[in-house]
């Protein structure tokens, strides 16, 4: 039986947080035995906001090394850089022709970003959900691991697949979301109502996967809890709930077990232990990353092989699309 296809990607726009690790990459590692996985570094998405070219190159390699250090296996999954497969941009142009302005205008992320960056309100920021749809549809993807904040973009991909199929006959698989409930959204350590993000102006709000031990301990110690002083996992104590989620995921322990252990002990001891659990969980990733990032030839081999494999699949879809819309075959 053929394995179902999973597609996902991360932007190389700076260092990744433990939110990216818990909500996405750790989950991807678990999917690669069961599914045929395509994991992409979406560098084309990154340029919707201004980038420093040498930093973008460095960040792209860093993310690839992090994928590998976290346990993504290039023999099981296809790892590649988005811009190395031109079909992503080519399919986007075709899908632009069936995307409605009104629909793109309603995208929550576009609305938020356009408020923040009026001086850089470029067309790519407006149409990048179409590029995201192309990323997914090119590989005849069955399942897309998404968080709540990306569901709207997946809906667009589904709409465009259905719209194209209705207009030109069955061409694309209509992808389904793969939603992980527990740990899907790790929140800011300083504002537990906002998602943890590396663009947070307060660096105590996030822990980077590559943060050193002292930085991790300092940030956990400063993390916001509450004045109740009661060990519990609920929506009245969002800061504590977030920290318990992080503890549970890094230690592989159930929440009730952790709550019982620290009952009546206050938050200090809990935070101290949490910091060590995170340090120990990230330590092997740090070691492997340091080794990989020095081996540029190996990384280059991974992304070249990955692009070749991805391009082979992507072109099968693109040729079909071009034929159906009436382009003469090359």
């Amino acid at each position: 039986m053929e394995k179902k296809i999973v597609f996902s990607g991360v932007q190389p726009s700076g260092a990744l947080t433990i939110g990216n690790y818990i909500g996405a990459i750790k989950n991807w590692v678990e999917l690669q035995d069961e599914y045929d996985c395509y994991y992409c570094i979406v560098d084309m998405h990154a340029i919707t906001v201004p980038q420093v070219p040498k930093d973008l190159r460095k960040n792209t390699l860093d993310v690839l090394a992090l994928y590998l250090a976290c346990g993504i296996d290039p023999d099981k999954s296809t790892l590649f850089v988005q811009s190395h497969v031109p079909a992503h941009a080519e399919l986007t142009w075709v899908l632009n022709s069936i995307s409605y302005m009104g629909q793109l205008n309603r995208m929550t992320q576009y609305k938020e970003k356009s408020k923040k960056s009026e001086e850089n309100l470029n067309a790519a920021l407006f149409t990048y959900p179409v590029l995201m749809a192309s990323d997914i549809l090119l590989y005849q993807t069955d399942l897309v691991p998404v968080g709540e904040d990306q569901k709207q973009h997946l809906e667009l991909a589904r709409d465009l697949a259905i719209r194209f199929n209705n207009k030109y006959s069955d061409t694309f698989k209509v992808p389904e979301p793969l939603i992980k409930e527990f740990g899907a959204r790790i929140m800011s350590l300083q504002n537990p109502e906002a998602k943890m993000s590396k663009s947070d102006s307060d660096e105590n709000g996030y822990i980077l996967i590559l943060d050193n031990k002292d930085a991790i301990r300092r940030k956990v110690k400063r993390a916001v809890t509450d004045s109740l002083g009661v060990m519990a996992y609920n929506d009245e104590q969002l800061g504590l709930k977030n920290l318990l989620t992080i503890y549970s995921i890094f230690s592989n322990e159930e929440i009730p077990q952790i709550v019982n252990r620290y009952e009546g002990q206050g938050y200090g001891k809990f935070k101290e232990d949490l910091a060590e659990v995170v340090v120990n969980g990230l330590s092997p990733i740090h070691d492997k990353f340091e080794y990989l990032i020095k081996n540029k030839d190996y990384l280059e081999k991974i992304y070249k092989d990955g692009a070749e494999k991805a391009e082979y699949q992507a072109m099968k879809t693109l040729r079909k699309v071009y034929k159906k819309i009436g382009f003469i075959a090359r």
Side-chain angles (χ1 to χ4, degrees):
M1 201 174 95
E2 269 194 13
K3 285 182 172 180
K4 286 191 167 181
I5 293 171
V6 163
F7 178 93
S8 201
V10 164
Q11 281 197 40
S13 47
L16 301 182
T17 69
I18 60 166
N20 299 116
Y21 173 65
I22 294 170
I25 300 170
K26 187 176 187 294
N27 190 27
W28 298 356
V29 175
E30 291 155 16
L31 295 174
Q32 60 184 352
D33 288 319
E34 200 182 328
Y35 300 104
D36 184 5
C37 298
Y38 287 80
Y39 295 136
C40 182
I41 298 151
V42 290
D43 55 343
M44 291 164 75
H45 285 291
I47 63 167
T48 56
V49 294
Q51 299 287 340
V52 177
K54 69 173 181 16
D55 292 349
L56 182 57
R57 279 190 285 274
K58 178 192 178 295
N59 291 338
T60 301
L61 278 183
D62 282 359
V63 172
L64 178 62
L66 269 177
Y67 279 2
L68 296 164
C70 290
I72 293 174
D73 181 343
D75 293 328
K76 293 179 185 173
S77 302
T78 305
L79 287 170
F80 67 104
V81 178
Q82 184 187 27
S83 62
H84 292 177
V85 182
H88 287 254
E90 293 179 75
L91 181 60
T92 300
W93 183 248
V94 174
L95 293 182
N96 268 335
S97 71
I98 60 164
S99 299
Y100 303 138
M101 301 284 280
Q103 196 170 18
L104 296 179
N105 227 342
R106 287 194 297 276
M107 291 284 154
T108 317
Q109 289 204 349
Y110 170 70
K111 284 197 272 197
E112 283 168 10
K113 285 183 176 168
S114 58
K115 274 186 211 135
K116 275 187 206 161
S117 57
E118 282 180 12
E119 74 287 350
N120 182 48
L121 200 51
N122 57 67
L125 204 54
F126 187 68
T127 60
Y128 97 98
V130 185
L131 175 58
M132 198 181 279
S134 300
D135 298 339
I136 295 164
L137 299 180
L138 264 178
Y139 299 97
Q140 301 298 342
T141 302
D142 295 285
L143 297 162
V144 183
V146 282
E148 282 296 317
D149 53 338
Q150 294 291 354
K151 263 165 77 176
Q152 198 186 22
H153 289 156
L154 182 60
E155 271 310 311
L156 178 74
R158 288 171 54 82
D159 286 351
L160 291 175
I162 293 165
R163 200 174 294 160
F164 192 94
N165 290 350
N166 288 342
K167 193 171 179 180
Y168 297 105
S169 79
D170 267 3
T171 311
F172 296 117
K173 258 189 201 157
V174 180
E176 296 289 339
L178 191 61
I179 296 173
K180 173 186 164 200
E181 295 304 330
F182 184 64
R185 268 170 86 83
I186 297 300
M187 311 311 276
S188 160
L189 300 181
Q190 291 301 312
N191 172 17
E193 292 190 13
K195 191 177 171 182
M196 184 180 284
S197 165
K198 55 187 176 277
S199 55
D200 192 328
S201 56
D202 183 352
E203 62 163 33
N204 290 308
Y206 55 82
I207 294 172
L208 300 175
I209 301 176
L210 296 175
D211 266 345
N212 65 42
K213 294 172 184 179
D214 290 342
I216 294 169
R217 291 181 184 122
R218 187 181 70 248
K219 289 174 181 183
V220 172
K221 193 177 177 182
R222 291 178 181 170
V224 166
T225 45
D226 53 67
S227 55
L228 297 175
V230 180
M231 260 329 224
Y233 187 79
N234 60 52
D235 287 341
E236 274 67 67
Q237 295 170 273
L238 285 175
L240 183 60
K241 181 182 182 183
N242 190 42
L243 297 181
L244 280 164
T245 301
I246 295 169
Y247 195 122
S248 170
I249 283 162
F250 274 103
S251 66
N252 287 318
E253 283 183 274
E254 298 294 323
I255 297 275
Q257 234 178 320
I258 303 164
V259 169
N260 287 342
R261 184 180 317 136
Y262 294 99
E263 213 164 337
Q265 290 193 48
Y267 299 146
K269 172 78 176 120
F270 165 69
K271 281 184 173 183
E272 218 170 278
D273 292 354
L274 168 60
E276 296 317 304
V277 165
V278 175
V279 163
N280 294 336
L282 294 177
S283 190
I285 295 174
H286 288 186
D287 294 346
K288 198 166 178 200
F289 175 84
E290 288 308 324
Y291 169 75
L292 288 163
I293 210 65
K294 292 186 184 99
N295 286 278
K296 296 282 194 284
D297 291 352
Y298 174 69
L299 292 177
E300 190 178 319
K301 184 184 180 331
I302 297 291
Y303 69 67
K304 280 187 170 169
D305 290 353
E308 233 168 82
K309 209 173 138 194
E311 180 147 54
Y312 175 75
Q313 290 303 331
M315 285 311 294
K316 283 207 291 201
T317 300
L318 190 69
R319 277 195 295 272
K320 226 188 268 183
V321 168
Y322 274 11
K323 187 178 178 187
K324 288 194 181 184
I325 63 173
F327 290 168
I328 292 174
R330 290 178 204 186

